[in-house]
């Protein structure tokens, strides 16, 4: 009898993925690539707007590479990374100083932030627009 695998969008799946093969599969490099792309493609007006903000959150931050990239680009910004995987957040905390990391759920971001960033997350949901609506509620 084979052991049943957890569903791809479950907390168990992602905790296991981050513990077993996220780094080997290039997850951190991919996260950083998309963050750097967003920063390079960002219009100047938006960059200036973010520079004047106080708070920023990366929802679905994985091991924190994007959150750290935004903190580096905007050093005065209070940057938070949220992921629902305990393993991802533990790794993020050990790798990235100057960024706050918390275990949380995209559907219930408990604190408001001036800027909400989310990359490579929404496509995992059956109804990504409802998740986007939840993220919009977290943005001030």
């Amino acid at each position: 009898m084979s052991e049943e695998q957890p569903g791809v969008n479950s907390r168990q799946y992602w905790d296991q993925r981050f513990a077993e093969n996220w780094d080997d599969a290039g997850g951190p490099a991919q996260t950083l690539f998309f963050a750097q792309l967003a920063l390079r493609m960002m219009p100047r007006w938006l960059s200036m707007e973010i520079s004047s903000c106080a708070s920023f959150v990366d929802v679905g931050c994985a091991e924190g590479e994007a959150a750290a990239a935004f903190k580096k680009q905007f050093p005065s910004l209070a940057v938070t990374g949220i992921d629902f995987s305990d393993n991802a957040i533990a790794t993020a905390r050990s790798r990235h100083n100057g960024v706050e990391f918390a275990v949380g759920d995209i559907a219930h971001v408990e604190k408001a932030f001036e800027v909400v960033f989310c990359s490579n997350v929404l496509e995992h949901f059956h109804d990504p627009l409802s998740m986007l609506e939840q993220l919009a509620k977290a943005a001030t």
Side-chain angles (χ1 to χ4, degrees), residues 27-110:
Q30 180 180 343
T31 301
L32 183 58
F33 170 81
F34 283 112
Q36 290 172 333
L37 181 64
L39 287 165
R40 277 196 316 272
M41 303 282 297
M42 186 179 293
R44 181 169 166 71
W45 68 265
L46 182 55
S47 181
M48 292 174 65
E49 185 73 24
I50 292 172
S51 293
S52 70
C53 291
S55 62
F56 175 102
V57 66
D58 177 9
V59 181
C61 71
E63 295 178 345
E65 284 74 21
F70 275 89
K71 180 65 177 176
K72 183 177 180 182
Q73 182 73 27
F74 302 101
S76 64
L77 199 58
V79 175
T80 301
I82 296 174
D83 200 282
F84 81 155
S85 168
D86 292 311
N87 290 341
I89 293 301
T91 300
R93 286 177 177 151
S94 72
R95 289 184 181 170
H96 306 291
N97 294 323
V99 177
E100 180 180 332
F101 292 101
V103 175
D105 187 331
I106 188 173
H108 306 286
V109 178
E110 296 181 10

Side-chain angles (χ1 to χ4, degrees), residues 55-61 80-84 100 102-118 121-122 125 130-140:
S55 62
F56 175 102
V57 66
D58 177 9
V59 181
C61 71
T80 301
I82 296 174
D83 200 282
F84 81 155
E100 180 180 332
V103 175
D105 187 331
I106 188 173
H108 306 286
V109 178
E110 296 181 10
K111 180 179 165 185
F113 295 88
E114 288 179 85
V115 180
V116 177
F117 179 79
C118 183
V121 174
L122 296 176
F125 293 94
S130 70
M131 291 298 107
L132 186 58
E133 289 172 356
Q134 293 301 317
L135 290 175
K137 291 176 184 177
T140 60

